[in-house]
């Protein structure tokens, strides 16, 4: 105010008072004071006008910011009625009306979230820090996911709320969740590490294959499951690719938690940021242990098929040769003039019969024998086999039957199928020189055959014998192949069993561990409603 007074006085002092028609000194003094006061008022008015202009400019700037904000703003009274709002809130609600002032804010909340909003509305007022609530708002297109932040207006007593549209964030989050769910159930192993090669994510498949839980592997180097059998050159090539930010393809021989060795194919990709720096490594792996085993089995089957072709041809030729020999030797036996001649003829007849039996076994292996099928329940085959068991095994063995599905119907040549099962049973007996329990299971399984999933009656014969060494396993179905483990066998038992089962549209699989035992599983197609599956 002193400054204002000084500015007014300076203005009056510059005026020529002698020009004024003032005759008395008092009047002159009074006039001077009036003029100064007048000027003070003029200066004040100028400053007020300037301040009003600045205030209006600030107000307009505030309104522009208020309406152009990406966040919706509204002021509510204690009953939730909208007193003021910005344009952004109308856009979030997709409302074309110029204003929604005077309407209840609850009118714009999705019906499924209305209850939770109304039940917590007072919390916006009662809590000094306010409250944040995620709810859906009504929308003419689809519900809008919004984050509502409210706090009491300490000046006017209403409620100040911010409304943030998080629909895109929610949708993006849902997409990420969906992708993670897909990755989680993917039939391949997926591992993500940080730039220091520490695991930050692994999916369920990887955990299932390795036997380690996620907690056991998170934060560790993927190399913690190394078996020591992967060549060092493999890792050298891998890290050379990673250093050059290139994709690497290769395979590892690793070890599961239980010590089992397995082989996996892998594709490892370095992830780089916008500056070209590596931030993560992503590995996609596939357990190929079973695949390689199947390839080996396929190679064995190919070898067996070649033997089938050769052995079948040989058997037919030998049969043609044996027939006249048998006829003539029987004639010699009947017409022998001396006992010595009769004994010689008898030896020939027995030898030819033995040769014929071997030839018939080869024909069964080569699937060239004649079969007479009949429909029967698989359990009946086992009932017959159990009755013959003591005669086959002797008193030192005990047979345990476990039939989980008694209604499985199959169509087989009963005698031939029993012969196949007896051949496997004899091998089980021979592998247990001290006797013991032999278990036979019957159940139903789905298996891939001829490119289709089929239902099979599975007869499993399990022993606790000496087992089959790995180097022998590829040869056990080859005709005339004998080992110390199968020292009492003729070399045709298992090959004959395989031929019989395959001739019925089935197959044989087995697992074996030295000094722990062997399980042979015979797969026979079942019949459902008269249709062979």
């Amino acid at each position: 105010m002193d400054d204002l007074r000084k500015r007014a006085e300076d203005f009056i002092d510059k005026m020529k008072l002698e020009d004024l028609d003032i005759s008395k000194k008092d009047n002159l003094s009074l006039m001077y004071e009036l003029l100064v006061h007048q000027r003070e008022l003029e200066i004040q008015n100028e400053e007020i006008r300037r301040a009003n202009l600045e205030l209006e400019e600030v107000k307009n700037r505030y309104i522009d910011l208020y309406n152009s904000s990406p966040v919706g703003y509204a002021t509510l009274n204690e009953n939730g009625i909208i007193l003021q709002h910005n344009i952004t809130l109308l856009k979030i609600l997709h409302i074309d009306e110029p204003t929604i002032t005077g309407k209840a804010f609850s009118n714009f909340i999705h019906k499924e979230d209305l209850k939770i909003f109304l039940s917590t509305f007072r919390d916006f007022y009662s809590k000094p820090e306010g409250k944040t609530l995620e709810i859906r708002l009504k929308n003419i297109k689809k519900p809008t996911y919004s984050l509502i932040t409210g706090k009491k207006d300490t000046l006017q007593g209403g409620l100040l709320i911010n409304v943030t549209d998080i629909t895109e964030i929610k949708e993006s989050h849902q997409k990420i969740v969906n992708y993670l769910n897909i990755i989680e159930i993917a039939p391949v192993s997926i591992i993500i590490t940080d730039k220091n090669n520490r695991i930050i994510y692994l999916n369920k498949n990887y955990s299932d294959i390795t036997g380690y839980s996620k907690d056991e592997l998170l934060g560790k180097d993927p190399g913690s499951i190394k078996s020591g059998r992967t060549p060092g050159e493999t890792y050298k090539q891998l890290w050379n690719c990673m250093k050059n930010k290139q994709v690497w393809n290769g395979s590892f021989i690793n070890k599961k938690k239980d010590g089992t060795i397995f082989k996996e194919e892998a594709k490892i990709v370095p992830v780089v940021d916008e500056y070209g720096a590596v931030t993560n490594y992503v590995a996609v792996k596939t357990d190929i242990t079973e695949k390689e085993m199947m390839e080996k089995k396929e190679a064995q089957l190919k070898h067996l098929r070649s033997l089938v072709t050769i052995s079948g041809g040989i058997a037919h030729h030998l049969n043609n040769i044996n027939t006249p020999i048998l006829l003539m030797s029987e004639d010699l036996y009947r017409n022998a003039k001396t006992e010595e001649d009769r004994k010689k003829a008898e030896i020939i007849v027995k030898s030819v019969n033995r040769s014929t039996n071997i030839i018939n076994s080869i024909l069964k292996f080569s699937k060239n024998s004649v079969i007479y099928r009949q429909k029967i329940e698989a359990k009946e085959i086992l009932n017959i086999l159990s009755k013959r068991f003591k005669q086959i095994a002797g008193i030192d063995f005990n047979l345990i039957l476990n039939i989980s599905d008694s209604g499985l119907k199959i169509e087989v040549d009963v005698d031939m199928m029993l012969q196949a099962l007896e051949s496997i049973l004899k091998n089980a007996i021979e592998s247990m020189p001290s006797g013991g329990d032999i278990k036979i299971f019957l159940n139903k399984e789905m298996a891939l055959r001829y490119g289709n999933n089929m239902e099979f009656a599975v007869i499993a014969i399990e022993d606790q014998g000496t087992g089959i060494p790995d180097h022998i396993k590829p040869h056990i179905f080859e005709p005339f192949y004998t080992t110390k483990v199968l020292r009492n066998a003729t070399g045709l038992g298992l090959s004959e069993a395989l031929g019989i089962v395959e001739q019925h549209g089935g197959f044989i699989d087995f697992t074996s561990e030295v000094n722990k035992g062997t399980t042979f599983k015979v797969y026979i197609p079942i019949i459902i409603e008269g249709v062979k599956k």
Side-chain angles (χ1 to χ4, degrees):
M1 185 61 68
D2 290 341
D3 180 65
L4 181 62
R5 171 78 182 188
K6 185 176 183 305
R7 287 162 61 190
E9 288 177 348
D10 289 343
F11 178 80
I12 297 301
D13 289 342
K14 291 177 183 179
M15 294 179 63
K16 294 180 179 180
L17 296 179
E18 60 270 17
D19 295 338
L20 299 174
D21 186 16
I22 301 175
S23 58
K24 293 182 180 180
K25 186 177 181 179
D26 291 341
N27 289 340
L28 182 61
S29 176
L30 178 60
M31 181 63 70
Y32 181 82
E33 287 294 326
L34 290 173
L35 289 172
V36 170
H37 185 64
Q38 180 181 351
R39 186 54 187 165
E40 285 180 343
L41 292 175
E42 289 175 356
I43 293 173
Q44 283 182 330
N45 286 335
E46 288 176 5
E47 291 186 348
I48 289 172
R49 282 195 300 270
R50 188 164 51 251
N52 283 337
L53 289 174
E54 291 176 356
L55 182 60
E56 188 67 25
E57 185 180 348
V58 170
K59 179 182 177 183
N60 290 334
R61 192 180 302 127
Y62 163 77
I63 293 172
D64 288 342
L65 290 173
Y66 184 71
N67 285 318
S68 62
S69 170
V71 177
Y73 296 122
T75 303
L76 313 182
N77 65 15
E78 292 186 355
N79 296 320
I81 303 300
I82 300 172
L83 303 177
Q84 184 183 1
H85 63 83
N86 66 350
I87 295 174
T88 305
L89 182 60
L90 298 177
K91 292 179 180 178
I92 292 174
L93 295 171
H94 287 266
I95 293 176
D96 295 330
E97 300 175 24
T99 181
I100 53 174
T101 301
K103 296 182 180 180
F105 186 75
S106 59
N107 291 345
F108 304 101
I109 297 176
H110 192 275
K111 62 180 181 180
E112 293 180 9
D113 292 347
L114 183 57
K115 184 176 180 180
I116 187 170
F117 174 76
L118 294 176
S119 63
T120 59
F121 181 72
R122 290 297 164 189
D123 291 343
F124 289 110
Y125 286 97
S126 59
K127 296 182 178 180
E129 71 279 8
K131 182 178 177 61
T132 298
L133 186 65
E134 183 181 314
I135 58 173
R136 287 168 293 176
L137 299 177
K138 290 179 182 177
N139 192 312
I140 56 174
K141 296 181 179 179
K142 60 180 179 180
T144 301
Y145 288 91
S146 300
L147 201 63
I148 309 296
T149 302
K151 189 175 182 180
K152 185 178 181 180
D153 185 353
T154 55
L155 296 177
Q156 299 181 6
L159 178 65
L160 302 176
I161 65 168
N162 301 338
V163 181
T164 305
D165 186 349
I166 59 170
T167 305
E168 289 187 8
I169 296 174
K170 290 286 288 187
E171 290 176 349
S172 297
H173 177 265
Q174 188 58 49
K175 285 181 181 178
I176 293 171
V177 170
N178 291 340
Y179 293 149
L180 285 175
N181 287 338
I182 292 170
I183 291 173
E184 191 67 17
I185 64 173
V188 294
S189 297
I190 299 175
I191 308 99
I192 302 175
T193 66
D194 60 19
K195 63 181 180 180
N196 298 316
N197 202 34
R198 299 292 173 182
I199 298 174
I200 60 174
Y201 173 81
L202 65 147
N203 69 344
K204 184 177 183 297
N205 186 270
Y206 190 69
S207 183
D208 290 344
I209 288 175
T210 62
Y212 289 98
S213 68
K214 291 188 176 184
D215 291 338
E216 289 176 307
L217 291 176
L218 287 174
K220 293 187 178 179
D221 189 303
S224 59
I225 65 168
K226 286 181 180 179
S227 66
R229 300 187 185 184
T230 303
E233 184 64 25
T234 298
Y235 297 108
K236 185 177 178 181
Q237 292 173 358
L238 162 62
W239 285 110
N240 186 51
C241 284
M242 296 301 102
K243 182 180 178 181
N244 294 305
K245 301 169 187 175
Q246 297 173 338
V247 177
W248 179 84
N249 291 281
S251 62
F252 301 110
I253 301 173
N254 286 329
K255 184 166 64 174
K256 300 181 181 182
K257 186 177 181 179
D258 63 4
T260 303
I261 302 299
F262 72 106
K263 189 173 183 179
E264 55 184 359
E265 283 183 340
K267 181 175 185 177
I268 301 178
V269 183
V271 180
V272 297
D273 61 19
E274 63 269 27
Y275 305 107
V278 174
T279 59
N280 300 93
Y281 299 102
V282 178
V284 180
K285 300 181 177 183
T286 304
D287 185 352
I288 60 170
T289 310
E290 189 173 344
K291 177 186 174 184
E292 289 200 341
M293 289 177 60
M294 292 300 294
E295 288 174 350
K296 288 180 181 178
K297 284 186 178 180
E298 184 61 33
Q300 294 169 15
L301 286 173
K302 188 176 181 181
H303 177 60
L304 281 173
R305 290 187 191 106
S306 65
L307 290 175
V308 165
T309 303
I310 296 170
S311 61
I314 293 172
H316 276 297
H317 286 297
L318 290 176
N319 229 2
N320 292 335
I321 294 170
N322 268 4
T323 300
I325 295 174
L326 180 61
L327 291 173
M328 286 187 286
S329 61
E330 287 176 344
D331 185 59
L332 287 173
Y333 179 80
R334 286 192 300 271
N335 298 315
K337 294 180 179 179
T338 65
E339 187 61 28
E340 184 179 353
D341 289 341
R342 184 176 287 105
K343 286 182 179 180
K344 290 179 180 179
E346 184 180 3
I347 291 172
I348 295 172
V349 171
K350 288 181 178 179
S351 296
V352 174
N353 282 331
R354 187 169 180 272
S355 173
T356 301
N357 289 335
I358 293 174
I359 290 169
N360 287 334
S361 293
I362 294 173
L363 287 172
K364 288 174 182 176
F365 165 68
S366 63
K367 297 182 280 188
N368 286 320
S369 58
V370 179
I371 61 175
Y372 301 95
R373 299 176 186 269
Q374 68 179 82
K375 295 177 183 179
I376 188 173
E377 288 188 356
K379 68 175 182 179
E380 293 302 323
I381 299 285
L382 297 187
N383 289 337
I384 298 172
L385 188 64
S386 64
K387 291 177 182 178
R388 298 182 183 180
F389 179 75
K390 284 301 179 185
Q391 182 180 352
I392 298 170
I395 60 174
D396 294 331
F397 292 88
N398 182 42
L399 181 66
I400 300 173
L401 282 180
N402 189 329
I403 300 175
S404 61
D405 197 328
S406 61
L408 300 177
K409 291 185 178 180
I410 55 178
E411 189 175 18
V412 297
D413 184 312
V414 176
D415 291 334
M416 291 179 67
M417 191 56 65
L418 282 168
Q419 187 176 346
L421 295 173
E422 285 177 7
S423 294
I424 297 173
L425 192 57
K426 287 176 182 177
N427 278 282
I429 292 166
E430 290 169 1
S431 73
M432 299 169 63
S434 300
D437 293 338
I438 294 178
K439 299 176 182 179
I440 300 182
F441 301 87
L442 172 62
N443 53 42
K444 180 170 66 175
E445 287 186 21
M446 293 290 295
L448 188 65
R449 191 69 170 165
Y450 309 117
N452 297 311
N453 273 319
M454 300 171 58
E455 286 186 314
F456 290 87
V458 181
I459 299 173
I461 299 177
E462 177 186 305
D463 66 56
Q464 299 172 337
T466 53
I468 304 171
D470 289 342
H471 70 280
I472 294 175
K473 290 177 181 178
H475 308 288
I476 64 170
F477 291 112
E478 293 179 9
F480 304 110
Y481 185 87
T482 60
T483 67
K484 291 181 180 180
V485 175
L486 305 173
R487 58 188 178 276
N488 295 323
T490 63
L492 284 171
L494 290 177
S495 58
E496 183 180 353
L498 178 64
I500 290 171
V501 173
E502 288 192 341
Q503 201 167 353
H504 285 83
F507 62 97
I508 300 176
D509 198 3
F510 74 96
T511 56
S512 185
E513 193 171 347
V514 174
N515 297 325
K516 289 190 177 181
T518 302
T519 300
F520 277 90
K521 297 176 76 173
V522 178
Y523 290 77
I524 308 168
I526 67 172
I527 297 171
I528 299 177
E529 297 178 352
V531 179
K532 189 183 295 183
K533 294 290 182 182

